[in-house]
Amino acid sequence: MTDEYSASVRRMPAWLRLLKGGADLVGVLLFTTAFLGFIVQIFFRYVINRPILWTEEVTMIAFVWTVFWAAGFMVNLREHVSFDVVYELVSPQVKRAMAIFSMIVLIGCFVLLIPATWDYLEFLLRKRSPVLRFSMTWIYGCYLLFVVNFTIQAAWRLWRLFTPDWGKQI
């Protein structure tokens, strides 16, 4: 965790810090579930020599949720992997223009994804997981949460790029 990130979390209102802490806790619990499911699966398969099916499915579901939850709620938009070789060579004003352009493109693409994702999740209502019989909508619904939250984060960053303290956003 960077010092800049820690400082930004400390500047958050108390209710937002509480939400952030809750999101972090959910992410940790999801990862722990995936890890424990994996360990249980290894133990039953290789120690007891009696593999059980549900552990594989729980691990897969927890892993999918962990990835999209962490990307959407735990990792700051600016901390995601990016290709910034050219970005680092230009002036702050050009960085600002590039950031504005990329946020507009990102928001546009993700806004287009929302109804398509919703439509696909409705289609998945008819499908169930093979072992535990969970609705596939609930298994992959985390993607919609990711898309919506990522869009909100991008819109917030875009707005901040037009404020007097835009330098903190590049």
Side-chain angles (χ1 to χ4, degrees):
M1 189 179 313
T2 64
D3 290 333
E4 180 184 326
Y5 180 72
S6 297
S8 70
V9 170
R10 282 192 301 273
R11 286 191 306 268
M12 289 180 184
W15 66 271
L16 200 54
R17 275 197 312 272
L18 185 64
L19 284 177
K20 173 76 176 120
D24 290 350
L25 178 63
V26 169
V28 167
L29 291 174
L30 287 167
F31 181 78
T32 302
T33 302
F35 180 74
L36 290 177
F38 184 67
I39 296 300
V40 168
Q41 184 178 9
I42 289 172
F43 178 78
F44 274 86
R45 181 177 302 264
Y46 296 109
V47 175
I48 297 179
N49 200 25
R50 296 200 46 120
I52 47 181
L53 296 175
W54 66 266
T55 56
E56 188 174 334
E57 195 165 294
V58 165
T59 301
M60 184 273 307
I61 293 167
F63 180 73
V64 168
W65 268 83
T66 301
V67 168
F68 286 112
W69 187 267
F73 295 96
M74 296 173 70
V75 179
N76 186 312
L77 182 68
R78 290 176 31 215
E79 299 294 325
H80 282 270
V81 175
S82 63
F83 183 73
D84 58 0
V85 173
V86 175
Y87 185 78
E88 293 301 322
L89 297 175
V90 298
S91 70
Q93 290 78 11
V94 176
K95 286 181 183 178
R96 179 184 187 196
M98 291 170 75
I100 289 170
F101 176 76
S102 63
M103 290 303 102
I104 290 171
V105 170
L106 190 143
I107 292 166
C109 291
F110 274 49
V111 163
L112 292 174
L113 276 174
I114 292 171
T117 302
W118 184 267
D119 185 50
Y120 189 67
L121 291 174
E122 282 183 335
F123 165 74
L124 287 178
L125 279 171
R126 296 183 288 260
K127 308 250 184 220
R128 300 237 170 242
S129 65
V131 177
L132 298 174
R133 307 301 298 156
F134 291 146
S135 170
M136 296 303 261
T137 297
W138 291 108
I139 294 172
Y140 294 108
C142 58
Y143 181 70
L144 183 62
L145 296 175
F146 160 74
V147 169
V148 169
N149 192 53
F150 214 70
T151 305
I152 292 168
Q153 285 185 46
W156 178 252
R157 183 173 183 214
L158 180 63
W159 180 79
R160 297 281 312 252
L161 285 164
F162 287 106
T163 63
D165 66 341
W166 62 266
K168 294 178 183 175
Q169 295 300 311
I170 58 170

